[in-house]
Amino acid sequence: MIYVANSEATPGAETTVRALVDGASGLDAIEAGIRLVEKDPSIRSVGYNSWPNLLGDLELDAAMMDGDTLRTGAVGALRGFLHPVSVARAVMERLPHELLVGEGAARFAAEIGAEAAVNETEDCRAAWRRMLEANASPEQLADWPSGPLAELSMRAADPEVGRDTTVFLTHDRAGSIAAGVSTSGWAWKYPGRLGDSPLIGAGCYADTAFGAAACTGTGEMTIRASTARSVVLYMKTGMTVEEAVMEAVDDLRRLRGGLLFGVQIHAIDPHGGHKVVYAYQPKMEESLARRAASARHWFWREGMAGPELRDSERVRL
Ligand code: GLY
């Protein structure tokens, strides 16, 4: 058994590991852990009290993947519910679809009795107002919110805030591999923007035969490189988990233009192996030194007393 998650997983790491030890399926263990992250107001990039979009609204993304069946469930830009990960799992288990977004996702969440919530707190509204005052022109504020937002979205994109997610990977007692992710996406994103988290193959992928991968950081990069699926596919071609992750980093190095910051790749194989790498742009070196937590991950394997927060390897893009 093995568990790998990023540093945002702190509120749920113990719960997931305990569930795995008790014989729960990876999907159950992941969902239980991510639900705790989603409702914890101190985790600013996931669920309740996380980063709003340019209009000050929280649009949440989540996904789960069952590596036995390759079934997936995902929601994008979901508003008004506390646990997007559970809605994503219900998409997988109760619908003939793999991904729901926006109003349709909210309708489905209500239909299955998911817990409704106002996820926008005074704290996140205040952070949004500060962003607006710092970046919007007086004309734009006078016309708010009906004017164009594209220029503001370029100006407000800030690598120092809101670039995270929570990602969980498990190999459970039955030998099944699973993945789950949940996020608010980038702070101040353009309304309707989906990151990599709800896009299977970009933000996560799981295949019990070959392994699993999940990404945090700049979704705009991992969407372009299909990073999570690529890592698993590279393992399928015979690469080790270490080689597969470094090959996916190499794919990211080939991106030109667009939003280019950091990406953390988490991966496990079916043989007890794992690798976590934080791939960063040279322009990020100064800010990385200030943010020690940005390259850590949770790790547990059968026999360990509990999950450990470890430093992740860092590589330059
Ligand atoms: N990786 C999370 C996002 O880009 O939304």
Side-chain angles (χ1 to χ4, degrees):
M1 285 190 291
I2 201 162
Y3 163 69
V4 170
N6 69 323
S7 58
E8 261 70 10
T10 301
E14 288 279 352
T15 293
T16 295
V17 165
R18 216 175 321 115
L20 289 174
V21 170
D22 290 345
S25 71
L27 291 171
D28 284 346
I30 288 172
E31 185 183 355
I34 291 184
R35 284 173 67 93
L36 296 176
V37 183
E38 287 175 336
K39 76 173 192 189
D40 189 321
S42 72
I43 304 298
R44 293 307 301 263
S45 56
V46 182
Y48 178 74
N49 192 42
S50 50
W51 297 113
N53 66 14
L54 271 180
L55 296 176
D57 300 324
L58 272 168
E59 294 185 334
L60 304 179
D61 302 335
M64 293 198 81
M65 183 158 183
D66 177 348
D68 286 351
T69 60
L70 309 187
R71 272 303 311 267
T72 72
V75 288
L78 176 66
R79 295 202 57 203
F81 291 87
L82 192 57
H83 293 301
V85 73
S86 296
V87 185
R89 185 168 180 187
V91 169
M92 175 166 70
E93 293 179 346
R94 300 202 201 183
L95 286 177
H97 308 308
E98 309 289 319
L99 168 63
L100 291 181
V101 299
E103 284 176 19
R107 180 189 175 109
F108 175 67
E111 192 174 311
I112 63 168
E115 191 175 342
V118 177
N119 290 313
E120 294 87 348
T121 62
E122 191 37 52
D123 207 21
C124 66
R125 290 277 194 202
W128 167 76
R129 276 193 296 272
R130 282 195 297 278
M131 174 285 298
L132 205 57
E133 279 155 21
N135 292 290
S137 64
E139 299 75 37
Q140 191 162 31
L141 288 175
D143 200 23
W144 192 261
S146 43
L149 294 176
E151 212 180 290
L152 180 62
S153 98
M154 293 295 279
R155 246 198 325 272
D158 184 349
E160 297 287 332
V161 296
R163 350 159 274 110
D164 249 314
T165 301
T166 198
V167 299
F168 284 47
L169 302 176
T170 58
H171 189 200
D172 66 20
R173 192 180 292 288
S176 300
I177 286 182
V181 304
S182 185
T183 187
S184 63
W186 275 69
W188 335 133
K189 62 190 177 184
Y190 198 100
R193 176 263 189 191
L194 299 184
D196 56 343
S197 303
L199 303 182
I200 296 294
C204 74
Y205 198 82
D207 183 334
T208 294
F210 303 108
C215 306
T216 61
T218 315
E220 278 72 5
M221 296 171 68
T222 56
I223 289 170
R224 292 161 71 189
S226 302
T227 301
R229 172 65 176 142
S230 294
V231 170
V232 177
L233 200 54
Y234 290 139
M235 288 194 275
K236 184 178 179 183
T237 67
M239 290 187 188
T240 64
V241 66
E242 289 86 4
E243 290 166 343
V245 169
M246 295 317 290
E247 192 68 27
V249 169
D250 218 45
D251 293 339
L252 294 172
R253 286 199 177 104
R254 297 180 47 241
L255 303 179
R256 297 285 176 269
L259 195 58
L260 299 177
F261 286 112
V263 168
Q264 183 150 312
I265 304 176
H266 312 71
I268 61 174
D269 68 25
H271 319 294
H274 81 288
K275 188 167 180 81
V276 180
V277 163
Y278 186 66
Y280 64 94
Q281 305 288 337
K283 66 186 174 190
M284 295 173 69
E285 226 137 60
E286 226 178 84
S287 67
L288 267 183
R290 287 197 300 274
R291 288 181 291 118
S294 63
R296 291 206 183 134
H297 63 276
W298 286 101
F299 175 73
W300 174 83
R301 87 155 38 103
E302 197 167 7
M304 288 169 61
E308 285 176 7
L309 193 58
R310 296 186 170 180
D311 286 335
S312 312
E313 188 181 332
R314 293 179 181 199
V315 296
R316 268 180 141 200
L317 284 167

